[in-house]
Amino acid sequence: FQHTVEMVNHTPDPSGESLPIRYLILCSTVPGVFNLGGDLELFSRLIQKRDRDGLFGYAKACIDVLYPNAVNFEQDMTTVTLVQGDALGGGFEAAISSNVVIAEKSAKFGLPEVLFNLVPGMGAYSFLIRRTSPDLAERIILSGELLTAQKMLSLGLVDEVVDDGHGEEAVVRFIQRHQKRGNAHAAFSRIKKCVDPVTYEELIQITKIWVDAALQLRDRDLRMIERLVQAQNRRAARRTEPKAMEGLG
């Protein structure tokens, strides 16, 4: 898949030189998992220690990863997310930070933070309201509901849903179609940045609010985080074990 995309991106121009990279694809190599979110165990320890600086550093590190993708690395580049599996918490935020989101049918999306009395603070609201209405963004965040790929498509949060096992082909097809009108798409992307830009300052300000809220969590909230960590670890173990077994063969 990587080789195929690189071939699409580096098509030689008439002078014989390669064109600049125009597409960046976010995807996962772990079957059934796109991204299960942040390090909840670390997050819980920092809260228990009342470590405000540590929490802010944790959150800022997340922003420093997501923001460049959200602004196309300040290049005439299109960012694409391919979701094959679960995209939860920070994984949900990472997925929708791209210009284009393609998901396989079995993919699931969710923001579980409200289950432990918090809200996501690393870009969820900023990215959601630029794809849908503020009311819908609020409902998604405060419900903690797990959303199917088809539901995400109906809400305008996913651009294409394909059968399982066909996500990579869909990304290549998208790039081939997109390139035919590349100049128009690049100009439109610049217009969107002028009218409704995602700024680093906005994300950092929200992160500070998130840190303040995280420090207000009580013991029962931290116990819920612990249960989620255990569930996250079990899911990760189930997803990676078959691959490890294959390696032993």
Side-chain angles (χ1 to χ4, degrees):
F1 176 48
Q2 181 180 2
H3 176 65
T4 302
V5 172
E6 285 176 352
M7 288 179 65
V8 173
N9 282 337
H10 295 281
T11 303
D13 66 16
S15 69
E17 297 181 357
S18 294
L19 298 173
I21 294 175
R22 297 299 186 193
Y23 300 92
L24 176 74
I25 294 87
L26 297 182
C27 58
S28 171
T29 60
V30 179
V33 174
F34 170 73
N35 188 314
L36 297 181
D39 188 341
L40 292 179
E41 192 170 4
L42 171 63
F43 168 46
S44 179
R45 287 202 306 271
L46 292 172
I47 292 175
Q48 292 178 58
K49 293 178 180 179
R50 318 304 297 169
D51 186 350
R52 179 182 295 273
D53 290 341
L55 277 172
F56 179 73
Y58 166 94
K60 183 178 180 296
C62 296
I63 295 302
D64 289 343
V65 171
L66 289 182
Y67 177 71
N69 191 65
V71 297
N72 314 98
F73 294 84
E74 302 292 354
Q75 303 293 321
D76 282 336
M77 175 189 291
T78 299
T79 54
V80 181
T81 297
L82 171 59
V83 183
Q84 299 164 300
D86 298 333
L88 306 177
F92 187 122
E93 292 171 305
I96 63 171
S97 71
S98 291
N99 302 126
V100 176
V101 183
I102 297 172
E104 294 189 351
K105 282 185 178 178
S106 64
K108 298 291 190 299
F109 300 77
L111 295 169
E113 287 85 352
V114 72
L115 299 178
F116 50 85
N117 199 23
L118 196 58
V119 293
M122 289 74 164
Y125 188 70
S126 296
F127 301 144
L128 282 170
I129 63 170
R130 287 169 172 85
R131 283 181 166 266
T132 188
S133 69
D135 287 346
L136 184 54
E138 180 179 347
R139 194 167 80 218
I140 291 170
I141 290 172
L142 294 182
S143 72
E145 181 183 357
L146 195 63
L147 304 171
T148 65
Q150 201 62 43
K151 181 65 173 178
M152 291 282 286
L153 179 67
S154 71
L155 296 176
L157 298 172
V158 161
D159 298 285
E160 184 178 358
V161 175
V162 299
D163 289 336
D164 290 357
H166 293 275
E168 296 173 4
E169 299 169 20
V171 171
V172 174
R173 285 197 306 271
F174 164 78
I175 292 174
Q176 291 170 340
R177 292 194 308 268
H178 193 270
Q179 283 185 321
K180 293 178 180 178
R181 296 179 179 176
N183 183 62
H185 288 299
F188 187 71
S189 179
R190 291 194 292 270
I191 290 170
K192 286 177 67 177
K193 291 177 184 177
C194 290
V195 174
D196 195 15
V198 177
T199 68
Y200 187 77
E201 290 74 22
E202 172 186 325
L203 298 179
I204 288 296
Q205 186 60 38
I206 292 171
T207 289
K208 292 177 180 178
I209 295 171
W210 177 85
V211 170
D212 289 340
L215 289 171
Q216 298 301 312
L217 295 187
R218 299 292 182 254
D219 288 344
R220 68 173 181 272
D221 304 319
L222 296 178
R223 286 194 294 271
M224 175 58 75
I225 292 176
E226 183 178 347
R227 288 197 288 271
L228 289 173
V229 168
Q230 293 171 356
Q232 188 182 68
N233 290 340
R234 287 195 300 269
R235 180 177 298 181
R238 286 199 306 270
R239 298 300 190 182
T240 56
E241 184 177 348
K243 203 165 189 178
M245 293 292 288
E246 289 173 8
L248 291 174

